[in-house]
Amino acid sequence: MVHLGQSIINIKGMGPKTAEAFESHGIRTVEDLLYFFPRAWMNASTVVPIAELKFGMSALIEVQVAAMKEGMSQRTRIPYLRATVADTTGYLDVMWFHPKYLRGKVRVGTKLLLYGQMQGFRQQDRIMMSPKILKEPCIQAVYPTIGGVASFKTRPIMEQLKDVVETIPDYLPESIRMEHSLLPLSQTIKSMHFPADITHINLARLRLGFDELLMLMVPSLVAKSERDQEKTESLTLDNGKVKTWCDSLPFALTEDQQTVIAEILQDLGKTKPMNRLLQGDVGTGKTVVGLAAALQAVLAGKQVAWLAPTELLAKQHFETAKKLFAPHSVGLWTRTHHFAYVNGEEQKSTVDEVTGLSLVIGTHALLSEKVVLRDLGLLIIDEQHRFGVKQRAQLRLFGGHPVHLLSMTATPIPRTMALLLYGDLSLSVIKQKPAGRKEIVTRVVSDTSRDKAYQFIEDQIAKGGQVYVVCPLIEPAKDDEANMFTQLFEPVEEKKAVTTWATELQKQFPNRKVLILHGKMKAAEKDSVMQSFRAGETDILVSTTVIEVGVDVPNANIMIIEGAERFGLAQLHQLRGRVGRGERQSFCLLFPSSSAAIDNDRLKIMEQTNDGFVLAEKDLELRGPGELTGLSQSGIPPLRFASLQNTEQVQKVQSIAAELLANPAFKQSLERFWRQHHPE
């Protein structure tokens, strides 16, 4: 008998080519193969009377052959066997093509168990095409085709493993399985491949869903247990100084902002390193919360590093800090910008100078080995999911020792996703927007209504407003044969490019200043364009999604998104959040690429709500965990058995995982199972 660790080549019926096909998909051992689960099951467990069969229905029938005829299709020249079969409730025609293999099996008077689908050219046709002949009622696994190996070839290979399934060890203690009505792992896998009935399949899927969630939680919970052992310096301070600073701001903080600042200051006062995630919907004022945390660290004699994913966002934070963080020194360090702001003066800075400042704001360039901060006490990571898994691990020890960490994101994350991805973090949420902000009015606009939209835009600009226009492309695709072919079916595609669309808009608005912005422009060009737009000198800014995060121009009150159906809900919401940041009424106009996309589900939802957390839940529902914008680097694979809509289940699994990891014996078996089955 083969055992779990053996190569699949040792399985009876597994030829070299079949083994090679499986191995090319990472299936190398017998145990790997047992985790190659069916995509569906053929339920031929219950006999259905002929009289109850309906068009399109797949069913098992027990019949006797009443008549039969062999022939050849005149059109296709394919041989066939057509038989009339009957039970006590009625008659039915069945047909097989290339029936040579059926000789001797199908004769008049023969009793047969047939499984197939009712088909026909018209719904009144009653014919079952190419039914399977079974020996007895059963439930049969249907496997995905892999490397050319079809299900009917995989099934007999799996039959050889019925005994070895019993030897699969279970990392879950029996007490937990009993408490939560979970099958043993060996019985789970056996029920997936060789189910006795549908109930066993459902119980197996329940256990596998539990395992999926547990495996996703292990990394963050292991990290949490490790971080719980770490020590750092307490940044204890008389909080009255930070409160005085908050009271001196030129705007009033919302209740959510005040609550979150209090949570952060409490964390900073502990010797256990803070590890907090701040979720704030677009326009809710996360930046000022980050500055309050930075002030606490600086007043305690420590340095603060603030990492942003883009130069635009880093530079904007730098400009904000220059206004609000005085008299403390602030630095900017990106690939192209090296500045220091000290005693009210800004000047170019060397690496030695910038690393001695109180607050250093930068991009990935700040991770350079050249940048060494003398006494880092707090690290703030903005839009931290954009840094990738390996970079986030590097950031945690950015100062060479454990430091307090504040992660911030403007991409609302569904609660279940937050539990899975960030189970090791404390979570703070800001939902309230500053007083005076008006809800953004969002409308899906067809191409036929462009003229009306342009008139509306002209009226808004005349009243002092400004406009963003976001396009999915920088410039039109090259005029090669493939693109020319595409244009036959998508004639408006050229309009979705920044360069083409800017020219078109300048014709539409000859008395208005139109500029472009995209990621391929040089830093100096981008700075000049943004400065012109912030100063109100530019009326219309045509851009790619480079403006998605952090760009803050309170005067801009119209967002136009071209090819809107191409973007996910989270990205549409981020782009919409570039307006509505001042006292003007703001508008978001979504232009689909075609009339067929007018009824796109995501665009309809955008019209209905401005709540990023509602949209995040809808995005999860529509696209699944692996496709959420902003979470592509999270490492979440497509889930086959678990549901992320079930918050209660996710919380329960998290609690069980924490219990397992707290027990050394269980922890060892759990971590071994995770290494073996969790995708890298």
Side-chain angles (χ1 to χ4, degrees):
M1 187 182 78
V2 294
H3 58 76
L4 294 173
Q6 274 188 315
S7 169
I8 56 176
I9 197 66
N10 294 300
I11 302 172
K12 184 179 178 181
M14 178 74 76
K17 288 188 177 180
T18 303
E20 185 179 349
F22 280 112
E23 288 171 354
S24 68
H25 287 75
I27 300 171
R28 297 180 175 83
T29 67
V30 171
E31 187 168 8
D32 291 338
L33 188 58
L34 285 171
Y35 278 87
F36 179 64
F37 294 124
R39 62 175 175 80
W41 291 266
M42 183 186 79
N43 186 5
S45 59
T46 304
V47 174
V48 177
I50 286 177
E52 295 181 14
L53 295 179
K54 297 177 181 178
F55 183 80
M57 179 180 177
S58 294
L60 178 70
I61 57 175
E62 188 173 12
V63 295
Q64 186 171 22
V65 179
M68 54 182 288
K69 172 188 174 184
E70 289 192 69
M72 179 85 69
S73 168
Q74 292 184 354
R75 186 172 63 85
T76 63
R77 310 304 296 169
I78 295 175
Y80 66 84
L81 169 62
R82 185 166 185 144
T84 299
V85 298
D87 65 10
T88 57
T89 68
Y91 289 88
L92 178 72
D93 280 350
V94 296
M95 181 179 283
W96 293 273
F97 294 103
H98 300 290
K100 188 176 180 180
Y101 71 99
L102 294 173
R103 284 174 186 162
K105 293 183 180 180
V106 180
R107 297 190 300 269
V108 173
T110 304
K111 291 185 177 181
L112 298 173
L113 269 177
L114 303 179
Y115 180 85
Q117 185 181 46
M118 286 288 292
Q119 295 177 331
F121 297 106
R122 298 173 303 276
Q123 291 206 21
Q124 60 265 34
D125 290 345
R126 293 179 60 78
I127 187 166
M128 186 176 278
M129 304 294 291
S130 303
K132 296 177 182 294
I133 300 177
L134 303 180
K135 293 180 180 179
E136 59 186 15
C138 65
I139 296 177
Q140 203 169 78
V142 180
Y143 294 92
T145 298
I146 183 170
V149 180
S151 180
F152 75 90
K153 292 182 179 179
T154 300
R155 198 178 302 112
I157 292 172
M158 290 296 187
E159 290 285 340
Q160 310 302 314
L161 306 180
K162 275 189 174 180
D163 293 333
V164 76
V165 170
E166 306 288 350
T167 67
I168 294 175
D170 201 331
Y171 65 91
L172 274 183
E174 184 178 1
S175 58
I176 288 180
R177 293 202 310 267
M178 295 293 288
E179 182 182 352
H180 299 284
S181 303
L182 296 171
L183 292 179
L185 193 54
S186 58
Q187 189 178 339
T188 296
I189 294 175
K190 186 174 184 178
S191 295
M192 290 294 284
H193 295 293
F194 321 111
D197 51 44
I198 295 298
T199 300
H200 278 75
I201 295 174
N202 292 334
L203 289 172
R205 290 176 64 87
L206 181 68
R207 168 64 198 267
L208 291 172
F210 175 94
D211 286 354
E212 274 186 332
L213 293 175
L214 191 61
M215 293 308 104
L216 288 175
M217 290 177 184
V218 168
S220 63
L221 292 176
V222 168
K224 183 180 187 300
S225 66
E226 291 174 351
R227 290 173 191 173
D228 285 345
Q229 308 304 314
E230 294 177 345
K231 297 291 183 183
T232 192
E233 193 170 338
S234 167
L235 305 183
T236 306
L237 185 73
D238 176 9
N239 289 346
K241 294 180 181 179
V242 177
K243 184 179 185 305
T244 299
W245 176 81
C246 290
D247 292 341
S248 70
L249 293 170
F251 46 82
L253 296 178
T254 64
E255 288 185 16
D256 281 358
Q257 286 174 313
Q258 294 175 45
T259 299
V260 171
I261 288 173
E263 291 172 345
I264 292 170
L265 296 188
Q266 186 175 22
D267 282 355
L268 291 176
K270 299 175 182 177
T271 55
K272 175 186 171 183
M274 177 176 71
N275 195 27
R276 184 168 290 276
L277 173 65
L278 170 58
Q279 283 196 78
D281 205 349
V282 289
T284 53
K286 296 178 299 301
T287 303
V288 72
V289 172
L291 287 174
L295 180 62
Q296 172 91 336
V298 169
L299 290 175
K302 294 293 183 180
Q303 282 184 299
V304 179
W306 189 319
L307 285 164
T310 66
E311 283 197 348
L312 275 176
L313 184 55
K315 196 166 189 305
Q316 183 159 294
H317 285 334
F318 179 60
E319 295 298 327
T320 302
K322 280 162 54 178
K323 298 173 186 175
L324 302 181
F325 208 65
H328 305 287
S329 57
V330 183
L332 176 66
W333 193 267
T334 70
R335 187 172 59 85
T336 56
H337 293 93
H338 305 147
F339 291 105
Y341 184 75
V342 183
N343 297 325
E345 294 185 4
E346 181 181 323
Q347 59 186 16
K348 288 190 176 181
S349 176
T350 65
V351 67
D352 292 333
E353 292 168 337
V354 79
T355 55
L357 301 174
S358 297
L359 169 61
V360 183
I361 300 169
T363 57
H364 297 72
L366 196 53
L367 301 176
S368 164
E369 293 180 2
K370 296 178 182 178
V371 181
V372 180
L373 300 182
R374 55 175 170 77
D375 198 5
L376 186 67
L378 170 65
L379 173 63
I380 300 173
I381 307 175
D382 213 338
E383 296 301 321
Q384 56 87 43
H385 58 265
R386 291 172 172 244
F387 282 90
V389 177
K390 291 182 179 179
Q391 284 177 319
R392 294 204 298 270
Q394 178 186 356
L395 294 172
R396 192 172 67 83
L397 295 173
F398 181 57
H401 58 277
V403 298
H404 294 285
L405 174 63
L406 175 63
S407 302
M408 302 197 300
T409 180
T411 302
I413 303 168
R415 177 156 179 76
T416 50
M417 292 286 286
L419 288 169
L420 284 173
L421 288 172
Y422 308 119
D424 56 325
L425 276 69
S426 303
L427 185 63
S428 292
V429 176
I430 303 179
K431 289 190 174 182
Q432 293 173 317
K433 293 187 178 180
R437 298 277 178 91
K438 298 176 181 178
E439 287 284 292
I440 302 168
V441 178
T442 303
R443 291 290 179 268
V444 180
V445 185
S446 68
D447 224 40
T448 56
S449 299
R450 253 185 210 281
D451 289 344
K452 292 180 181 178
Y454 287 160
Q455 184 57 55
F456 174 75
I457 291 166
E458 175 60 39
D459 293 343
Q460 288 294 310
I461 295 175
K463 294 176 182 178
Q466 290 174 276
V467 184
Y468 293 107
V469 179
V470 174
C471 300
L473 305 173
I474 293 177
E475 55 189 16
K478 292 181 180 178
D479 196 19
D480 54 23
E481 288 188 17
N483 184 53
M484 290 169 66
F485 178 77
T486 301
Q487 295 302 309
L488 292 173
F489 303 97
E490 295 184 68
V492 298
E493 184 66 26
E494 296 294 290
K495 291 185 177 181
K496 306 310 173 191
V498 168
T499 53
T500 306
W501 208 220
T503 302
E504 177 72 17
L505 288 170
Q506 190 64 82
K507 292 177 183 175
Q508 291 288 338
F509 301 94
N511 300 320
R512 303 301 179 187
K513 186 175 181 179
V514 180
L515 289 182
I516 66 173
L517 181 72
H518 55 76
K520 290 186 178 181
M521 294 168 62
K522 293 180 179 179
E525 291 179 290
K526 287 190 281 189
D527 288 346
S528 175
V529 169
M530 283 309 303
Q531 181 57 39
S532 174
F533 195 64
R534 285 195 186 96
E537 299 165 358
T538 297
D539 301 298
I540 302 174
L541 180 61
V542 186
S543 172
T544 58
T545 55
V546 70
I547 64 159
E548 178 184 352
V549 174
V551 174
D552 188 356
V553 181
N555 196 53
N557 71 320
I558 297 181
M559 167 62 71
I560 296 175
I561 303 176
E562 295 289 344
E565 81 284 358
R566 300 178 179 208
F567 302 98
L569 273 174
Q571 195 168 32
L572 287 170
H573 184 57
Q574 287 290 325
L575 291 168
R576 175 170 63 182
R578 295 315 100 208
V579 297
R581 307 180 82 85
E583 295 183 359
R584 291 180 183 277
Q585 177 61 59
S586 292
F587 306 89
C588 178
L589 307 182
L590 304 173
F591 282 92
S593 299
S594 64
S595 56
I598 288 289
D599 294 327
N600 181 278
D601 288 340
R602 293 196 302 279
L603 303 190
K604 286 182 177 180
I605 294 168
M606 286 290 293
E607 286 186 315
Q608 295 165 7
T609 181
N610 277 269
D611 189 325
F613 291 91
V614 172
L615 291 172
E617 294 291 348
K618 288 291 185 181
D619 214 10
L620 174 62
E621 182 182 324
L622 290 171
R623 304 207 294 165
E627 299 296 325
L628 291 189
T629 301
L631 299 174
S632 58
Q633 300 186 77
S634 65
I636 287 194
L639 297 177
R640 291 187 59 189
F641 307 107
S643 169
L644 288 185
Q645 271 68 49
N646 191 339
T647 305
E648 184 179 346
Q649 183 190 29
V650 173
Q651 289 176 319
K652 180 189 292 186
V653 175
Q654 187 184 45
S655 174
I656 295 170
E659 180 183 341
L660 290 172
L661 289 170
N663 185 307
F666 298 157
K667 180 181 178 182
Q668 187 177 17
S669 59
L670 176 58
E671 288 181 330
R672 187 188 307 117
F673 186 83
W674 182 84
R675 287 192 299 271
Q676 196 168 3
H677 296 285
H678 190 274
E680 293 295 334

